[in-house]
């Protein structure tokens, strides 16, 4: 197989990425007190040694009291990006990844309505959301029943002052990322967490400047991106993850046509996004009728920015499609066809890289890889 396309470097602003394989962000929960340990450092360094050009870290809580808690997936020991000890821990992670020839960016996260009330480092903090709405009841979701609120009205709509405080928290964490030496910033705008609830019409019912039209629903994300760009300057790339699917509703859609997608992503691109990370569960699923382009392909087409695909690369089952019968599968040729056609620029790999830290190197060399098994989630291998 000719892997040339995958092995091409990519320059995004001041960041030179050695090849097109990216470790997709994956929450692990091995950072006691929010600080990455030496095991976390070695875990990321192994993926850089194994051939990942870029690593997007596990989601990192932004510096705001309601950012983190139990989001229904049993997360604990989630990292943050503020405080001297934490930043020193990240500095060591970044140095180890750089020493192995990789680049690394942190994924900034605020859980919004998916943080269970009363949990996290600040249990008394209110749940943050645009309109005090969790989602729509009765939809298909992988969340355990006791994590789905009986009443979808949850907390109060954020006030102007609260919105400002959260945006400030994102900016402080982006500054922390710079101080730790990261190569860029990734923003988690997907999966039903805070930013996504502003984008999604089911959870954003505001009639002020933060809601209403599709363009107005992007304002919260736009402000975060714009202010992060002002803070970090022109050299650091900004990645933005978005998705149709939500934890609250797997079948949700943010945009049902390419034009709607353009209305949604255009303002984010203008605000400073360099790479759109389109989170889907199967990379080869066409996003809209009449074209084979996937969601990343359309993100690239309607914005002119770089895009990253993800979802089932090297693995036979999409995320959430059951824990049994998961096996490694060689579908790289189909990924590369799309990459070579210019559909997207980067290829995100999640579970395959948890199964085998040297997945990129081995796949390129034609060696056997160790398959992902859910048991690997219980430790940092
Ligand atoms: C254990 C685990 C944790 C994850 N945590 C995050 C996360 O923190 N942020 C995020 O955007 N996506 C997260 N994801 C989704 C992955 O980034 C990726 O999109 C998904 O696993 C599909 O890719 P794959 O089929 O290659 O595994 C997680 C996935 C897994 C398996």
């Amino acid at each position: 197989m000719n892997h040339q396309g995958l092995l091409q470097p990519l320059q995004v602003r001041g960041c030179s990425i050695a090849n097109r394989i990216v470790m997709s962000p994956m929450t692990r929960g091995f950072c006691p007190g929010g600080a990455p340990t030496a095991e976390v450092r070695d875990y990321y360094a192994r993926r850089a040694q194994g051939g990942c050009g870029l690593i997007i870290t596990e989601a990192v809580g932004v510096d705001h009291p309601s950012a983190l808690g139990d989001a229904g997936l049993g997360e604990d020991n989630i990292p943050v990006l503020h405080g001297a000890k934490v930043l020193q821990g990240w500095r060591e992670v970044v140095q180890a990844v750089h020493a192995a020839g990789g680049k690394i960016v942190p994924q900034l996260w605020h859980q919004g309505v998916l943080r269970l009330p009363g949990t996290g480092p600040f249990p008394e903090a209110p749940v943050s959301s645009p309109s005090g709405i969790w989602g729509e009841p009765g939809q298909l979701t992988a969340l355990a029943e006791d994590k789905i609120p009986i009443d979808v009205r949850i907390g109060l709509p954020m006030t102007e002052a609260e919105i400002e405080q959260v945006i400030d928290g994102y900016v402080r964490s982006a500054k922390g990322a710079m101080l730790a030496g990261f190569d860029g910033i990734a923003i988690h705008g997907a999966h039903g967490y805070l930013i996504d609830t502003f984008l999604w019409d089911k959870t954003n019912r505001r009639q002020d400047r933060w809601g209403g039209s599709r363009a107005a629903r992007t304002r919260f994300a736009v402000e975060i991106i714009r202010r992060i760009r002002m803070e970090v300057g022109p050299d650091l790339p900004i990645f933005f993850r978005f998705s149709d699917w939500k934890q609250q509703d797997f079948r949700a859609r943010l945009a049902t046509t390419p034009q709607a997608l353009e209305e949604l992503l255009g303002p984010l691109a203008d605000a400073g996004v360099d790479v759109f990370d389109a989170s889907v569960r199967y990379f080869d699923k066409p996003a809209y009728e009449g074209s084979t382009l996937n969601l990343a392909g359309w993100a690239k087409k309607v914005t002119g920015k770089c895009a990253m695909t993800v979802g089932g690369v090297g693995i036979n089952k999409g995320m959430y499609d059951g824990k049994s019968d998961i096996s490694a599968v060689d579908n790289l040729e189909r990924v590369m066809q799309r990459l070579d056609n210019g559909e997207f620029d980067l290829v995100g790999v999640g579970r395959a890289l948890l199964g085998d830290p040297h997945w990129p190197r081995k796949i390129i060399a034609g060696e056997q890889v160790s398959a992902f098994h859910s048991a690997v989630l219980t430790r940092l291998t």
Side-chain angles (χ1 to χ4, degrees), residues 143-165:
L143 293 170
E145 240 168 67
D146 62 335
K147 309 287 183 188
I148 301 173
I150 295 162
D151 185 348
V152 291
R153 283 167 303 173
I154 178 168
L156 293 171
M158 289 166 81
T159 61
E160 280 281 334
E162 284 167 339
I163 289 176
E164 279 301 315
Q165 284 155 11

Side-chain angles (χ1 to χ4, degrees), residues 24-27 59 107 188 191 241 310-312 319 349-351 377:
S24 199
M26 281 175 287
T27 293
Q107 188 191 41
H188 199 335
H191 305 171
R241 172 163 270 205
V310 71
M319 193 186 167
V349 183
R351 290 161 300 156
L377 296 177

Side-chain angles (χ1 to χ4, degrees), residues 126-193:
V127 168
S128 302
S129 72
S131 303
I133 299 168
W134 181 85
E136 287 202 304
Q139 304 302 320
L140 180 68
T141 159
L143 293 170
E145 240 168 67
D146 62 335
K147 309 287 183 188
I148 301 173
I150 295 162
D151 185 348
V152 291
R153 283 167 303 173
I154 178 168
L156 293 171
M158 289 166 81
T159 61
E160 280 281 334
E162 284 167 339
I163 289 176
E164 279 301 315
Q165 284 155 11
V166 172
I167 295 172
D168 284 348
Y170 272 91
V171 176
R172 279 195 302 279
S173 296
K175 188 172 182 186
M178 265 179 97
L179 293 173
F182 278 104
D183 300 293
I185 306 290
I187 299 170
H188 199 335
H191 305 171
Y193 296 110

Side-chain angles (χ1 to χ4, degrees), residues 86 168 177 243 284 298 305:
V86 169
D168 284 348
S243 65
D284 53 2
W298 278 106
K305 299 289 180 181

